[in-house]
Amino acid sequence: MVRPSSLTRRELIALAGVGAGALIIGEGVLASEAINQPASPTHSGSSEPSAPKEAIAQEAPSPGTPEKLREDAPASPEEATEPAAKAAMSLEDLPWNLRLVNKDHPLDENFPLPDLEEITDGYAVDARIRDDLAAFLKAARKAGYDPIVCSAFRSHDRQRELYRARVRQSKEEGKRGQEAKEDAAFWVAPPYASEHEAGLAVDLVDGDYQKLDEKQETTATQKWLMKHCTKYGFILRYPTDKSAVTGIGYEPWHYRYVGKEAASAIAGSGLCFEEWIAETYGIGLA
Ligand SMILES: [Zn+2]
């Protein structure tokens, strides 16, 4: 088990597999990284494969650094919902909505905190994707489903906290040193390497099944979300068959905003985000 010391009550509950709605896992974390809760500074994500108990949720923050939402919200670059001109010279030339964030391409320490806007219950996202996300959720509810936001923006500190908790879990499972870190990073991105830190990702689960495990894909709500996400500018970021490329395990709950045009193009291509960027812009991602 994970050492209790640095975990919040909710995380402990999740780890114990007891909590009612809280679970966590991977880049997704449990059902509750809310911003209102005084909790820890930042969120992060993590996800777990199928083991229902590794959770890293968070919520009960640590006394100290509440996450802020709108305060520091420096403006972000201009909006560009569509892939800009092709032939960009580097990843930095891509519009904000196509920013690649992963272990090989982490956010720069100077990357400005996005201008955040709350979407629900203390969860916030980059203000530029808020309306599309709200429309996505509204449409799902109108169709009779029950999507629940269980993770959105996370601070770097929060991401670090989640990652470290996952590393501890890997060690408890018998892995050591670098092996433990790499194992953990497959489920929870290290700080600066999560899209949640850019405010461009959200974890959505079915209200009737809030665990972050593979069964999430079988829920009625998740099936609807997967089918309709591109219409609202989102893509299921970590497909089940692309883990070797994304470096992240299958997460049938982590949605990344890329804009409607790009989402449609990516979905139609059968490629994951990394592959699509490489093919569309000719940018080597090695
Ligand atoms: Zn996520």
Side-chain angles (χ1 to χ4, degrees), residues 85-261:
K86 288 194 171 189
M89 298 306 288
S90 70
L91 291 172
E92 286 62 40
D93 295 324
L94 297 176
W96 65 270
N97 50 297
L98 297 182
R99 170 171 284 276
L100 179 65
V101 182
N102 61 26
K103 285 173 277 191
D104 292 328
H105 302 89
L107 293 171
D108 184 86
E109 290 189 5
N110 297 317
F111 181 75
L113 183 66
D115 184 359
L116 301 172
E117 192 162 330
E118 194 167 18
I119 181 67
T120 181
D121 302 331
Y123 291 100
V125 292
D126 184 309
R128 294 167 294 190
I129 79 170
R130 195 268 176 194
D131 288 350
D132 281 340
L133 176 56
F136 184 26
L137 297 173
K138 182 178 180 180
R141 289 171 184 137
K142 186 175 180 181
Y145 300 101
D146 184 23
I148 300 294
V149 175
C150 65
S151 182
F153 169 75
R154 297 174 191 154
S155 69
H156 303 308
D157 286 342
R158 182 57 190 157
Q159 189 69 38
R160 180 178 295 105
E161 192 173 33
L162 292 174
Y163 173 67
R164 287 178 175 171
R166 190 61 182 74
V167 170
R168 285 195 295 276
Q169 180 181 326
S170 293
K171 288 181 177 178
E172 287 162 7
E173 291 171 353
K175 299 182 177 61
R176 295 285 175 270
Q178 190 59 30
E179 182 188 13
K181 291 182 179 179
E182 292 177 0
D183 177 63
F186 189 66
W187 301 112
V188 181
Y192 295 94
S194 172
E195 296 175 330
H196 285 283
E197 296 168 273
L200 299 176
V202 62
D203 292 336
L204 303 175
V205 295
D206 187 317
D208 291 329
Y209 187 82
Q210 300 186 28
K211 293 184 179 181
L212 297 180
D213 60 28
E214 289 193 19
K215 289 182 181 176
Q216 184 58 231
E217 72 175 2
T218 67
T219 65
T221 293
Q222 205 58 252
K223 286 180 178 177
W224 189 94
L225 295 174
M226 289 180 178
K227 182 177 181 180
H228 300 277
C229 64
T230 57
K231 180 177 174 184
Y232 299 92
F234 291 85
I235 57 171
L236 188 65
R237 182 68 173 84
Y238 305 116
T240 183
D241 59 340
K242 297 293 184 178
S243 293
V245 180
T246 64
I248 294 292
Y250 178 42
E251 296 194 355
W253 55 82
H254 180 103
Y255 292 90
R256 157 67 195 263
Y257 186 83
V258 293
K260 297 172 185 176
E261 187 171 316

